[in-house]
Amino acid sequence: MTRDILDMLEERIVVGVATGDINRWVHTYTLSHGAAPAPLNYRGFPKSVCTTLNNQVCHGIPDGTVLKDGDILNVDVTSILDGYYGDASRMFLIGEVSEEARKLVQVTRECLYLGIEQVKPGHTLGDIGHAIQQHAERHGYSVVRDYIGHGTGLQFHEPPEVRHFGKPGTGEMLAPNMVFTIEPMINAGDYKVEILKDGWTVVTADGSLSAQWEHTMRVTEDGVEVLTG
Ligand code: MF3
Ligand code: CO
Ligand code: CO
């Protein structure tokens, strides 16, 4: 369901669309397919999806903001179907995007998939974080510390905490049927962040661009199954 919602958005998100339009499309599609949008009223979050633009890091609130040429946008969808949560996000490039921004989006996507490659029984959470941090920092980017991946399933956020930085061989050991997200937030500049007065929107402290990609996955007997893939 979560993947289908993101797929539905691919052709619709273009120059001139408002982030509030995206909220309406996600909300309507989710309900009409028998699911519920997890963000709505979660700890007081006012909308059904997070839309996070340019120098914002995560938890952007859909509003009247109109997408313009050159923007980069993260849409983070979490739906609840038959009591189970699925959580995933993608980046959307709006019109002609600078080479600099496209590279950040691409490297961040690579960070997600390098993290996923580490998911198998016997590996640790630190192996995931290390793979992501190495790749981001090799490109001169930084890994956001204050927001992390998480177990999910019967609640939005469950143990374990999945850091996107760390040391190989450290942290909890992965075992079959653990279900969690990996969702690196990578900044072009410094990793420090601030929260806007709306109480939700997280932005880079230095104003630099930020990107994020997210999947929910299950550890299998010999590897990983990407549940939102
Ligand atoms: N989907 C986000 C995550 O990846 C959480 C959003 S919480 C909300 O964990 F309240 F902002 F929706
Ligand atoms: Co998540
Ligand atoms: Co999410």
Side-chain angles (χ1 to χ4, degrees):
M1 173 65 55
T2 299
R3 179 203 57 220
D4 290 349
I5 293 167
L6 286 162
D7 285 347
M8 174 272 294
L9 295 173
E10 289 285 350
E11 292 205 330
R12 296 193 185 199
I13 296 182
V14 294
V15 174
V17 161
T19 55
D21 297 331
I22 298 170
N23 179 68
R24 192 164 36 80
W25 296 331
V26 169
H27 186 84
T28 305
Y29 187 102
T30 304
L31 295 189
S32 71
H33 288 77
L40 187 61
N41 300 321
Y42 176 76
R43 298 182 179 217
F45 191 81
K47 300 286 178 178
S48 298
V49 66
C50 296
T51 53
T52 300
L53 201 56
N54 297 329
N55 66 315
Q56 300 175 352
V57 172
C58 61
H59 303 165
I61 304 173
D63 60 12
T65 304
V66 174
L67 300 175
K68 58 181 197 314
D69 199 53
D71 283 342
I72 60 170
L73 177 74
N74 175 277
V75 179
D76 192 338
V77 172
T78 312
S79 38
I80 314 167
L81 187 63
D82 301 332
Y84 287 91
Y85 287 72
D87 187 8
S89 80
R90 297 181 194 166
M91 295 299 294
F92 294 81
L93 304 177
I94 313 303
E96 283 297 313
V97 170
S98 72
E99 177 60 32
E100 174 200 10
R102 266 187 293 145
K103 192 182 154 216
L104 175 67
V105 168
Q106 179 58 31
V107 169
T108 303
R109 188 168 190 274
E110 290 163 5
C111 284
L112 170 59
Y113 282 93
L114 288 167
I116 292 173
E117 273 181 29
Q118 291 299 318
V119 179
K120 55 186 79 167
H123 281 204
T124 68
L125 289 171
D127 293 330
I128 298 171
H130 181 72
I132 292 167
Q133 184 176 16
Q134 284 284 112
H135 192 62
E137 293 182 355
R138 190 167 75 79
H139 285 89
Y141 300 146
S142 67
V143 177
V144 170
R145 307 292 200 266
D146 292 3
Y147 299 88
I148 59 182
H150 51 92
T152 191
L154 294 170
Q155 294 178 68
F156 205 154
H157 298 111
E158 299 178 0
E161 296 184 346
V162 182
R163 288 176 185 75
H164 305 111
F165 51 93
K167 294 194 176 24
T170 64
E172 191 174 340
M173 185 90 80
L174 304 182
N177 294 317
M178 290 171 76
V179 173
F180 55 81
T181 73
I182 300 178
E183 50 182 298
M185 284 142 277
I186 306 297
N187 295 352
D190 190 84
Y191 64 74
K192 288 205 272 309
V193 301
E194 289 167 3
I195 301 178
L196 297 186
K197 284 204 217 43
D198 63 22
W200 279 104
T201 311
V202 179
V203 300
T204 58
D206 62 8
S208 66
L209 287 176
S210 187
Q212 179 178 29
W213 292 81
E214 175 176 24
H215 272 310
T216 299
M217 64 209 71
R218 178 179 75 89
V219 183
T220 63
E221 294 301 322
D222 59 358
V224 61
E225 177 187 7
V226 179
L227 299 173
T228 49

